[in-house]
Amino acid sequence: MKNSLILCALLTLGPVCYAQQSDYKVTTDYTELTDTKPHDSEAVWNKITTPTQLSWASTDVRYPKLSIPTVTKNSRWQTKAWKGERVNAQAVLWTTNDLSDATITVSELKNGSSVIPASAVTTNFVRYVMTDELNKERTGGCGHRENKAEWDSSIVADVLDIVKMHDIKARTTQPIWMNVWVPSDARPGKYKGTLTVSGKNFQPMNLQVEIDVLNRTLPEPQDWKFHLDLWQNPYSVARFYNVPLWSKEHFDAMLPIMKMLANAGQRAITTSIMHKPWAGQTEDHFDSMVFRMKKIDGTWEYDYTVFDKWVEFMMNEVGIKDLISCYTMIPWALSFDYYDQATNRIQFIEAKPGDAAYADYWGSFLKDFSRHLRAKGWFEKTAISMDERPLEAMQEAIKVIKQADPEFKITLAGNYHKEIQGDLYYLSIPYGHKFPEDVKAERDRKGQISTVYTCCSEAFPNTFTFSEPAEAPWTILHAVAGGYDGYLRWAVNSWTKDPLRDSRFRTWAAGDTYSIYPGPRSSIRFERLVEGLQDAEKIRILREELKGGKLEKLNKTVAMFTPEGLAETQKSATEMVNELNKVLNSY
């Protein structure tokens, strides 16, 4: 019967199983969009006495492409790191000449006979992507943006390119990103090495690297206690890479992208159990990973082939296996699809929570879904998930879920409601909202998960492509300061039409829909987010160990990562993050 169900689906859906053609190859160089903003003139550039220069810079700054960078020349980068930690550095190269075939190499880092191999170091040319701005009221990034010309746009440094040889145009600044993943078995001490930029028509330039590895160890990402939930979109990958959905080529393209998530400590797998759970809000809408057929006799039959393939891939090949989040029983448009055997058509049921048709559609499915999940050994890891739905709709949906199987886990990303919070295994509430202390304590006692989320609503903190880089780690540290168990964000790879060059979207501020680029290419935003996640784990470890004044100092510093702390200290996100980093590396 499975084969016949799949055949029906293919006959009905036809060519939508295939993705659109991408306009450039994922792994090759590409041309950035033109920046029309004011920048240093040719006359200003020509005042430079040394045509090509290289210096260490700051990871807190997005350096303009067409202006001379404001940096204090520095040839030595020094930092501290725990064993097992990833540390980031940024250099800038600026030139009045065209440079051909520029490449970046880093030597092994030596501490006597001990070595951090060059293979533990990643370097990237930082590329520029088009961004826009907050909404007109400057209060956030929500709202439709169909006409890009109505929004102030510019190019900003964000993409960490995977192309290893790059031509650099005259009168431009080229940032360079370096990431060192310190081996967990590294011997404590100072490790030194050299970063070199060389090319066809210029002399090699060197910068010194020095990492003081401390006698502390950061666990592997899968062992971090922080609950990270960044929603994945497999459909955008199929479209951009121009591969058939759920083919070997599709999974091959997704593997390195999802591995980046696993290496950030991701806990949840995003699945869709209905057609367009978010009404097609992204460039690539989510289809149902479950095929439903209403037979001629009125009974239901289900096929879980796609759902199983996706979950098995994420668990077994990627290594994300804590939670399977199934969206959603309460979509934005209350229209539910199924294949009708009698008419040989895809049909839709229009029903709202509380209606008999709604209860029949979902109740029948959930009973069979429970059976299937138990047979796969996944039931305890699976949750029926909703987001930003009203209380009354949630109450009706919860009734249907519990009638189908009272042991089903339920999750919500949305406002706190005391009436239903006890029914929610996992509840993520918006930035600026708090759990009552007694409720949070009770949820902890029951093993329930309580996190915070941000979306387009926040002007600060956020991870738009125009956001300050330090806002990414600040957001994670806010979750720690607020006593939440983790952090949720609705999209990590819902790509725009031209994601490498233009992060603007028809709805919401630029960059809201993704922080990992095709390639896969990381971003300044994503790498800085990982810094915050590492700091969260450091805080947990130190809180278990420290006592007295040391613990008090740590807690006082962490407590500032709140709206109230910002108002009290009058410090920027950059200042606060850097101050905490020094504290964490002082013990």
Side-chain angles (χ1 to χ4, degrees), residues 152-326:
D152 189 24
S153 297
S154 60
I155 61 168
V156 291
D158 192 56
V159 187
L160 303 187
D161 205 357
I162 56 177
V163 173
K164 296 307 179 184
M165 184 177 292
H166 181 53
D167 292 338
I168 301 172
K169 297 291 186 182
R171 295 183 295 281
T172 61
T173 289
Q174 176 58 66
I176 292 166
W177 196 268
M178 182 181 73
N179 178 281
V180 182
W181 195 335
V182 179
S184 57
D185 60 353
R187 183 167 65 89
K190 291 185 178 180
Y191 290 76
K192 299 179 181 181
T194 304
L195 179 146
T196 301
V197 181
S198 57
K200 184 182 294 185
N201 62 339
F202 62 98
Q203 292 295 315
M205 296 174 289
N206 296 324
L207 294 175
Q208 303 308 307
V209 179
E210 185 176 305
I211 301 177
D212 186 3
V213 177
L214 305 177
N215 194 23
R216 288 191 174 278
T217 304
L218 195 68
E220 293 293 323
Q222 62 267 27
D223 296 324
W224 297 347
K225 303 304 180 185
F226 192 90
H227 187 92
L228 179 65
D229 187 0
L230 306 179
W231 294 1
Q232 313 100 50
N233 186 342
Y235 301 94
S236 67
V237 179
R239 182 259 303 178
F240 189 91
Y241 283 72
N242 188 33
V243 293
L245 276 169
W246 314 121
S247 64
K248 180 183 183 301
E249 294 80 6
H250 186 199
F251 284 103
D252 287 346
M254 290 193 291
L255 182 60
I257 300 166
M258 301 309 161
K259 278 286 190 183
M260 289 173 65
L261 269 182
N263 286 336
Q266 173 74 12
R267 293 286 172 261
I269 304 168
T270 307
T271 71
S272 46
I273 55 172
M274 62 161 292
H275 179 65
K276 290 188 177 181
W278 296 284
Q281 67 173 341
T282 51
E283 186 65 33
D284 308 282
H285 70 258
F286 288 71
D287 282 318
S288 178
M289 294 180 181
V290 177
F291 183 73
R292 297 165 166 82
M293 182 171 72
K294 193 170 189 178
K295 298 165 66 176
I296 291 177
D297 62 6
T299 60
W300 292 92
E301 191 156 348
Y302 307 94
D303 186 279
Y304 301 102
T305 301
V306 171
F307 178 88
D308 291 351
K309 199 171 184 179
W310 168 241
V311 171
E312 287 167 356
F313 164 76
M314 290 294 281
M315 284 189 172
N316 301 332
E317 296 187 49
V318 177
I320 298 172
K321 54 185 66 176
D322 285 21
L323 183 67
I324 306 167
S325 296
C326 303

Side-chain angles (χ1 to χ4, degrees), residues 125-142:
F125 291 107
V126 181
R127 303 299 298 276
Y128 290 80
V129 67
M130 191 65 72
T131 190
D132 51 24
E133 59 177 338
L134 294 172
N135 58 31
K136 301 307 181 183
E137 298 77 26
R138 313 300 294 173
T139 56
C142 298

Side-chain angles (χ1 to χ4, degrees), residues 267-540:
R267 293 286 172 261
I269 304 168
T270 307
T271 71
S272 46
I273 55 172
M274 62 161 292
H275 179 65
K276 290 188 177 181
W278 296 284
Q281 67 173 341
T282 51
E283 186 65 33
D284 308 282
H285 70 258
F286 288 71
D287 282 318
S288 178
M289 294 180 181
V290 177
F291 183 73
R292 297 165 166 82
M293 182 171 72
K294 193 170 189 178
K295 298 165 66 176
I296 291 177
D297 62 6
T299 60
W300 292 92
E301 191 156 348
Y302 307 94
D303 186 279
Y304 301 102
T305 301
V306 171
F307 178 88
D308 291 351
K309 199 171 184 179
W310 168 241
V311 171
E312 287 167 356
F313 164 76
M314 290 294 281
M315 284 189 172
N316 301 332
E317 296 187 49
V318 177
I320 298 172
K321 54 185 66 176
D322 285 21
L323 183 67
I324 306 167
S325 296
C326 303
Y327 293 94
T328 177
M329 280 180 62
I330 317 177
W332 291 7
L334 293 169
S335 179
F336 306 102
D337 68 297
Y338 66 97
Y339 175 77
D340 184 57
Q341 192 178 50
T343 61
N344 196 32
R345 295 284 187 275
I346 294 292
Q347 304 285 6
F348 291 87
I349 292 174
E350 309 289 334
K352 65 181 184 299
D355 291 351
Y358 178 93
D360 174 66
Y361 180 92
W362 283 108
S364 299
F365 164 71
L366 290 171
K367 288 175 184 176
D368 192 75
F369 194 36
S370 169
R371 173 201 60 76
H372 178 74
L373 292 168
R374 291 180 187 278
K376 297 289 291 186
W378 296 342
F379 184 84
E380 294 300 321
K381 296 177 180 288
T382 303
I384 308 302
S385 302
M386 276 72 73
D387 71 296
E388 296 184 336
R389 299 296 86 190
L391 173 62
E392 295 76 13
M394 283 296 302
Q395 289 173 321
E396 293 297 336
I398 289 170
K399 288 179 186 177
V400 175
I401 295 169
K402 289 187 175 296
Q403 287 173 358
D405 191 326
E407 295 183 351
F408 255 128
K409 289 181 171 67
I410 305 170
T411 82
L412 170 68
N415 290 333
Y416 173 84
H417 298 290
K418 64 179 181 181
E419 296 88 344
I420 61 172
Q421 71 82 19
D423 295 318
L424 302 174
Y425 167 71
Y426 171 19
L427 172 58
S428 187
I429 59 177
Y431 174 80
H433 295 223
K434 296 180 179 179
F435 288 93
E437 287 188 15
D438 59 330
V439 170
K440 180 60 167 65
E442 179 64 10
R443 292 182 61 82
D444 289 346
R445 189 187 67 79
K446 291 181 177 179
Q448 295 172 325
I449 302 168
S450 312
T451 73
V452 64
Y453 73 88
T454 60
C455 56
C456 64
S457 300
E458 289 75 35
F460 173 94
N462 222 307
T463 51
F464 302 131
T465 38
F466 55 79
S467 298
E468 294 294 326
E471 292 182 37
W474 195 98
T475 302
I476 300 300
L477 295 165
H478 165 69
V480 177
Y484 306 96
D485 301 327
Y487 171 71
L488 177 151
R489 205 177 196 293
W490 78 278
V492 73
N493 73 308
S494 284
W495 293 326
T496 56
K497 287 183 179 180
D498 192 5
L500 288 176
R501 293 181 286 203
D502 194 346
S503 65
R504 296 173 298 177
F505 188 54
R506 61 178 178 265
T507 317
W508 313 303
D512 188 59
T513 64
Y514 65 107
S515 57
I516 292 176
Y517 292 83
R521 293 163 171 87
S522 188
S523 66
I524 290 176
R525 295 172 292 150
F526 189 78
E527 294 303 315
R528 295 303 305 274
L529 188 80
V530 173
E531 284 185 15
L533 294 161
Q534 292 181 141
D535 285 348
E537 184 65 10
K538 286 184 178 182
I539 292 166
R540 183 193 68 79

